[in-house]
Every structure is written in C-alpha cells, then in structure tokens.
Amino acid sequence: LVRFSKEADQLTIGWGTDKAAGKTFLDTSVTAIAGTTLATEIESAATMKSDFAGFLLPDAAATFHFTAPVLKEDVQQMVTLLKTAREKAIEQIGKDKDLPNDEARATAKDIVGSLMDVLQTTIENGKLNGGAAVKLAPQNINFVAGGLVADGKSVEKDLKRLVELAKQSKNNPYVEVKFDVATHGGVTLHTITVPIPEKEKEARKILGEKMLTVIGTGANSVYLAFGNDSLELLKQVIDGSAAGNGETSPMTVNVSLAPIMEFAASVDDNPVLAGLSEALKKGQGKDHITVSSKGVSRGIAYRLEVEEGVLQLIGQAAKLQNSQARDPF
C-alpha cells in the first residue's frame, strides 16, 4: 500500500453500457510512474505468459485463471509467511493424537517440510500461475484446480508417503487409492475413491455412492479434480493448456449463471430457483459475469462485465420472491 501510494501515477474508474451487445461494464485502470518498482511489477504481470490457459473452458459454469510475477522485493515477505505456516503445522502435528507414535509424527513433519520447500522454491522462481474450473449439470458437479510448482515429482513422492502415513492413523477411513493409473500430456494421474455414507443423501444425489478424486502430477504442475467426470475434465484442461499459445490476461474470472441455477434447482425444490432457471434459459446465453485484465501503457486495466440476462434475473428474482411471500402455499 505504501509503495502504491508513492509510485502510482493515475487511477481511472469508468462505467459504461453496450446496448448492441447487451451488457454493462465497470472499468478500472492504474498506471505507474516510469522506472518505479510498481511499473516493473505491472509490466511483468501484463506480459507474462501462462502455461495453464486450459482452465478457461468455454462451457464451464465458472472459471478462474491467473498469472502473476513475484518480484525479488516481495519474495522475502512471502518466505517469512511460509516459515510461520510451517512452524504452526509442525506444532499441530506434534499434538496430533491420531498418529500412533513419534516415528509417524516425525514422518508427517518431514512431509510438511518437503511440501513447504517446493512451495518456497516456486515462489523464489518468480512466477505464480494456475486456475480452476467448475462444470455443472442437473445433480452433477465436477471441479478441477491446479497450477505451477517447482517440482511436481517431489509432490508426487510426498503424496505417496502421506497415503502410507494415513494408513497408520487411528481414525483411518476406508478409501481406495491408486497411483500411476494413467499418464496424459506428461501428467501422471492418481485416483482416490471415497465412499459416501448412506446418511449423506444430498451428497449421494450429486456424487453417487463414491466420490472420485483425481490428482495429477507433472514435472512442474499439480492438479486436483473431483466429480464423476473429473478424470475427463482434468484431461480437457491439460489438453487446452498444451494447445494454448500462453497469451492470457493476468487474471480472468468467468461465471455463467444458467448452469448454476439449473444445478441449484435440481438439488433444491424451491420454486424460486426453478423459476430463475427457466428465466435464464430464455436469455439466449446472456448470463455471464466476467472479470478480465489487460496491459496498458505503464499500467494494467481491469473490467467487470455483466450481461443483460444477469440484470434481468435480479428483477425476476424479486418478483418470484414477492409472489411466493404472498402465496406461500
């Protein structure tokens, strides 16, 4: 904040509408004084290429993608935060009564230390890059997230050690873990299958009797996905990232309300949700909220964009809510 107040040159905020495209937007841009650290940071963020553009799936309910530089001036602060987190984690492991003995606790501490080392090296390498995506359908959810790490294979080894350690836990639930089930695009895939108790009826309705989780580990990447179709979703992200040219904005968020409302209506019999879902289906796909960014001269610009279907939905929600309040039966 201190650096920003001293090195920022101009902050611009504007609002506008595009009637032809059926959307409204809020623009914010900031420029920095030439030659300052802030200017260097902004330029690096605006020009840095991404290796994970595959998260920007066009048919997803929500996507998130980011590419950010870590300047030398910021590395030490982040490393200090990691050191504190490491100390707290090791302290908690020492108190964990689920681990059967001191040897198991020592192994757990070693795993945490190894994972923290990878994270610290990733930060010191000067680049943060990754994303997430959610796909929704009636009574069906699939999620994937992942990003850049300095040593994905080290994470894979620690994951295998962690599973062996979990088997020693006093409260070890039954899970089916399979390592190295497949390789896709240079990423090794591992699966974890967790049974969902019969009493969890809502979760079973969405995920089935068992929840599938997929972990992917590449040379410099780690992915996590869950859902019935999570394996295919993860492969889709890997393929999209490999096919991309790496040119993406520093940060992008896309949300599509139609699949979100359709999913919500499928798991909750609230008539308001059903009405909103039907209203969005008639909106001709204009149901998106988007946040994007791009580089400008000595600065960076962000845009929050809302399509007309979202604005109409707000009015429709109020009408349906009022109608239900007048006639609750």
Side-chain angles (χ1 to χ4, degrees), residues 38-302:
L38 181 61
T40 302
E41 186 174 14
I42 288 176
E43 183 179 359
S44 298
T47 58
M48 185 169 282
K49 294 184 178 181
S50 171
D51 297 316
F52 297 91
F55 281 107
L56 297 175
L57 300 169
D59 57 343
T63 61
F64 169 63
H65 170 271
F66 68 93
T67 310
V70 183
L71 299 185
K72 293 180 180 179
E73 294 85 350
D74 299 325
V75 168
Q76 190 54 51
Q77 287 184 346
M78 300 181 74
V79 169
T80 300
L81 290 174
L82 281 180
K83 181 181 178 181
T84 301
R86 183 196 299 247
E87 291 172 352
K88 289 290 185 182
I90 290 176
E91 180 183 346
Q92 291 301 316
I93 290 171
K95 300 176 182 178
D96 193 341
K97 296 181 180 180
D98 288 338
L99 295 170
N101 50 50
D102 290 340
E103 183 180 355
R105 279 184 278 274
T107 300
K109 292 177 182 179
D110 187 56
I111 293 173
V112 168
S114 178
L115 291 171
M116 288 292 187
D117 286 342
V118 172
L119 185 54
Q120 179 172 329
T121 304
T122 303
I123 292 171
E124 291 172 341
N125 286 344
K127 180 179 179 180
L128 302 178
N129 187 198
V134 179
K135 275 194 172 184
L136 296 173
Q139 297 187 5
N140 189 21
I141 180 172
N142 288 277
F143 170 83
V144 61
L148 177 70
V149 295
D151 190 347
K153 293 304 176 183
S154 176
V155 174
E156 181 180 305
K157 292 178 182 178
D158 289 330
L159 176 64
K160 293 178 178 180
R161 294 169 65 198
L162 189 61
V163 170
E164 290 300 316
L165 183 63
K167 293 178 181 178
Q168 303 177 38
S169 173
K170 296 177 182 179
N171 297 318
N172 178 28
Y174 175 75
V175 296
E176 181 182 6
V177 181
K178 294 182 179 180
F179 289 107
D180 309 320
V181 296
T183 301
H184 188 83
V187 177
T188 305
L189 305 177
H190 323 278
T191 61
I192 302 173
T193 306
V194 182
I196 299 177
E198 291 185 11
K199 63 180 180 180
E200 302 294 341
K201 295 181 180 179
E202 291 299 324
R204 279 195 164 207
K205 185 189 297 185
I206 299 170
L207 299 169
E209 295 182 1
K210 297 179 180 180
M211 184 180 77
L212 175 65
T213 299
V214 183
I215 297 176
T217 50
N220 298 109
S221 62
V222 172
Y223 297 91
L224 172 68
F226 70 80
N228 295 325
D229 303 313
S230 55
L231 184 59
E232 292 306 315
L233 177 59
L234 177 50
K235 290 180 179 180
Q236 188 179 355
V237 169
I238 293 171
D239 290 341
S241 297
N245 59 12
E247 298 289 350
T248 63
S249 65
M251 188 271 291
T252 304
V253 179
N254 290 308
V255 178
S256 177
L257 292 186
I260 293 175
M261 285 299 171
E262 186 178 23
F263 171 78
S266 72
V267 297
D268 188 338
D269 58 2
N270 188 326
V272 173
L273 292 176
L276 295 178
S277 179
E278 288 300 318
L280 283 171
K281 290 179 181 179
K282 300 175 183 178
Q284 300 180 337
K286 295 185 179 298
D287 62 327
H288 293 83
I289 301 172
T290 304
V291 179
S292 59
S293 57
K294 65 178 182 179
V296 296
S297 179
R298 288 188 295 109
I300 192 166
Y302 292 90

Side-chain angles (χ1 to χ4, degrees), residues 1-9 33 36-38 41 74 77:
L1 290 174
V2 172
R3 182 197 301 167
F4 182 86
S5 66
K6 292 180 178 179
E7 301 181 359
D9 182 24
I33 299 172
T36 61
T37 300
L38 181 61
E41 186 174 14
D74 299 325
Q77 287 184 346

